[in-house]
Amino acid sequence: MGIGKESATLEDFLEKAGGCAVLDGGFATQLERHGATINDPLWSALCLIKDPRLIKKVHQEYLEAGADILVTSSYQATIPGFLSRGLSIEEAETLLRRSVKLAVEARDKFWDAIKTNPYQNRTKALVAASIGSYGAYLADGSEYSGNYGPDVNLDKLKDFHRRRLQVLVEAGADLLAFETIPNKLEAQACAELLEEENVQIPSWICFSSVDGKNAPSGESFNECLDVLNKSNKVTAVGINCAPPHFVLALIQKFKELTGKAIVVYPNSGEIWDGIAKRWLPSKCFDDEKFELFATRWRDAGAKLIGGCCRTTPDTVRAISKALKERS
C-alpha cells in the first residue's frame, strides 16, 4: 500500500489550467518584504516556528496573483535541522505538517471565496510540498555545486529524505516538489525513494544549473534525466533557481531528453553567494521580461512556469497574465 491519496493526474490538472499551469514565486523573498528576518540555516522554515500567519498571508498573495500551484515553506525544513535547534522529533514533524496545513488552508479559503464567481476562470490550486536538496539542509551553498563529499552515498541521501517525504505526503500535499537538486546521485535517490515508498501523488524533480548547460555537479542533463526517465513516479522534471536567461535553451534540451512534463521556475537572475549569504548584483529579469519570456518558455514546451528567489507576486501576476491571455 502506498502513501498519499490517489490523485487525479497532473495531465488532467494542466488541461484544466489551460495547458500550462502557473507556479508561485519566491517565498523567502516575500517573507522578507513583510519584515521577516530569516538569515538563518532554517531560512523560510524559521517562520513555521515564529510566524506561521505570515506564511499563510504569502500563500494568499500568490493565489491572488494567479498561482495555480502553491509550493510549501518546507524547502529547508528538515528533521535534522529542527533537531539542531533543540526541538524534538515530534515537534519537527509537527512543523512539517504545518507547512502543508498552512498552504491547504490558504488555498481552500481562496477557493471558497471565488468558486461561485462567474468572472473568475480559475482552477482550484494544488499544494506542492517542497523538498529541498541535501545541500539546502547543509546551508553551505552545495546545492549550487553538487559537491557533497565522499561520505555521501545513495543510501545516505535516501535516509535523509525519507521521513520528511512520508510526513509531507501524509499531511495531505497534492504533489511533491524536489527542488535545486544538484547532481545525478541525489536525483536517483529521490526517484528510488518515491518507488520504495510507493508514493501515490505526482512529483517533480528540479535541478539547478550554474552554467546553463549541465547540473551544478558538472554532470550532463542527459545523464541526470536518464535516471529519472526510468521512473513512472516522477511526473515532471525541470529547472528551478537558475538564471532566467538559461531557461529557454534548457527547455529545448529537456524536450530532447524526456517525455515528461517540464517545469521551470527561475530566479530573477541575481546570484546568491552561499558562503557570504547575500545576493550579488548581476544581469536580471524584471517582471516585464518574465511576462515576455513566459510565453516563449511555454511555446518551447514548458508545462509549469513560475518564479523562484527574488521573484514576487507581481512577477507571478505578469506570468499569469501572459499565459492566460495568450493560451
Side-chain angles (χ1 to χ4, degrees):
M1 187 70 180
I3 59 172
K5 62 185 183 297
E6 291 285 349
S7 62
T9 66
L10 185 60
E11 288 78 9
D12 290 341
F13 178 78
L14 291 173
E15 185 176 344
K16 290 178 184 176
C20 187
V22 178
L23 307 184
D24 61 11
F27 205 85
T29 302
Q30 193 65 3
L31 290 173
E32 289 178 322
R33 289 179 79 188
H34 286 301
T37 301
I38 52 176
N39 187 9
D40 184 277
L42 292 178
W43 203 34
S44 57
L46 186 64
C47 285
L48 287 169
I49 302 171
K50 292 193 168 185
D51 199 352
R53 287 179 298 178
L54 184 55
I55 289 175
K56 191 183 288 191
K57 178 177 182 177
V58 171
H59 286 315
Q60 181 77 18
E61 288 170 337
Y62 277 117
L63 288 165
E64 291 170 354
D68 298 313
I69 297 178
L70 294 176
V71 180
T72 64
S73 54
S74 51
Y75 175 78
Q76 243 157 273
T78 67
I79 293 173
F82 287 134
L83 292 179
S84 71
R85 302 299 285 264
L87 300 176
S88 67
I89 291 177
E90 292 76 15
E91 288 169 329
E93 292 184 358
T94 295
L95 290 170
L96 284 170
R97 293 187 190 96
R98 181 179 293 170
S99 72
V100 176
K101 182 173 182 283
L102 292 168
V104 168
E105 287 176 351
R107 183 269 312 275
D108 290 349
K109 180 181 179 181
F110 181 77
W111 181 245
D112 287 343
I114 70 161
K115 64 184 178 182
T116 58
N117 185 340
Y119 299 103
Q120 286 277 2
N121 185 22
R122 296 286 295 272
T123 301
K124 186 176 182 180
L126 297 182
V127 170
S130 172
I131 299 178
S133 63
Y134 181 66
Y137 154 68
L138 296 176
D140 62 358
S142 58
E143 71 264 46
Y144 300 108
S145 72
N147 182 14
Y148 288 166
D151 297 329
V152 176
N153 58 27
L154 194 65
D155 287 337
K156 181 168 184 174
L157 289 170
K158 285 194 282 189
D159 289 343
F160 169 76
H161 285 297
R162 190 179 305 274
R163 183 57 188 154
R164 175 167 55 158
L165 176 148
Q166 292 169 342
V167 172
L168 290 170
V169 174
E170 291 164 359
D174 298 306
L175 62 157
L176 295 176
F178 294 92
E179 302 186 292
T180 61
I181 302 300
N183 54 40
K184 183 177 76 172
L185 183 69
E186 191 163 18
Q188 181 179 347
C190 295
E192 290 188 9
L193 190 55
L194 290 168
E195 299 282 353
E196 291 173 13
E197 296 297 322
N198 193 19
V199 172
Q200 298 296 305
I201 60 176
S203 67
W204 73 63
I205 295 180
C206 278
F207 299 89
S208 49
S209 181
V210 295
D211 65 1
K213 299 177 182 177
N214 303 291
S217 61
E219 294 164 306
S220 72
F221 284 123
N222 196 344
E223 296 174 77
C224 295
L225 293 182
D226 186 54
V227 170
L228 301 185
N229 285 336
K230 297 171 184 175
S231 172
N232 61 10
K233 296 290 187 183
V234 179
T235 315
V237 295
I239 295 290
N240 80 288
C241 216
H245 53 278
F246 290 167
V247 167
L248 184 59
L250 287 170
I251 294 170
Q252 293 165 341
K253 181 188 287 283
F254 276 41
K255 281 291 287 184
E256 295 173 358
L257 298 175
T258 186
K260 297 183 185 295
I262 295 173
V263 51
V264 293
Y265 46 119
N267 56 39
S268 66
E270 294 163 86
I271 297 172
W272 174 249
D273 184 333
I275 305 300
K277 300 288 189 294
R278 65 189 182 94
W279 290 96
L280 304 177
S282 60
K283 179 181 178 182
C284 62
F285 272 34
D286 58 19
D287 296 337
E288 288 183 1
K289 270 201 170 181
F290 267 96
E291 182 177 346
L292 174 64
F293 276 80
T295 53
R296 296 182 185 179
W297 297 337
R298 180 199 61 200
D299 294 345
K303 295 293 186 182
L304 303 103
I305 299 173
C308 202
C309 295
R310 308 292 276 183
T311 64
T312 69
D314 288 336
T315 314
V316 170
R317 190 171 287 107
I319 292 170
S320 178
K321 177 185 176 185
L323 297 179
K324 302 304 181 184
E325 287 187 356
R326 303 169 199 172
S327 60

